[in-house]
């Protein structure tokens, strides 16, 4: 967890808290509002969380498709 930025931790926490059966459904805008950052920041940070194996995009949302679905994994113990 020490390798994660404050913003990455906030994004992961929002997704982890709202996950049901390991899957969180949320738009990037909604995540940004909950974290107090811009949706652009969320777009930049999600691939970094994916690279660390903490979040995986299950399906991308969009207009008429609803929110994205993210598989959220637990933080490893440091």
């Amino acid at each position: 967890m020490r390798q994660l930025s404050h913003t990455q931790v906030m994004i992961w926490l929002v997704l982890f808290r709202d996950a049901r059966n390991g899957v969180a459904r949320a738009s990037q805008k909604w995540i940004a509002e909950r974290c107090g950052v811009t949706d652009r920041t969320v777009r930049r940070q999600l691939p970094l969380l994916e690279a660390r194996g903490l979040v995986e995009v299950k399906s991308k949302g969009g207009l008429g498709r609803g929110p994205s679905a993210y598989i959220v994994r637990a933080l490893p113990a440091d």
Side-chain angles (χ1 to χ4, degrees), residues 4 11 15 25 28 49:
L4 299 177
I11 292 168
L15 291 172
R25 296 189 177 278
Q28 292 176 355
L49 290 171

Side-chain angles (χ1 to χ4, degrees), residues 5-19:
S5 71
H6 178 72
T7 304
Q8 290 169 343
V9 171
M10 287 191 316
I11 292 168
W12 180 85
L13 280 171
V14 164
L15 291 172
F16 186 79
R17 181 182 178 275
D18 293 331

Side-chain angles (χ1 to χ4, degrees), residues 14-52:
V14 164
L15 291 172
F16 186 79
R17 181 182 178 275
D18 293 331
R20 301 290 177 255
N21 298 321
V23 178
R25 296 189 177 278
S27 69
Q28 292 176 355
K29 183 177 180 180
W30 183 82
I31 296 168
E33 289 172 2
R34 297 278 306 270
C35 293
V37 297
T38 65
D39 54 336
R40 183 176 182 197
T41 299
V42 172
R43 270 193 305 280
R44 285 192 318 244
Q45 297 302 317
L46 280 172
L48 300 174
L49 290 171
E50 278 190 275
R52 293 186 184 274

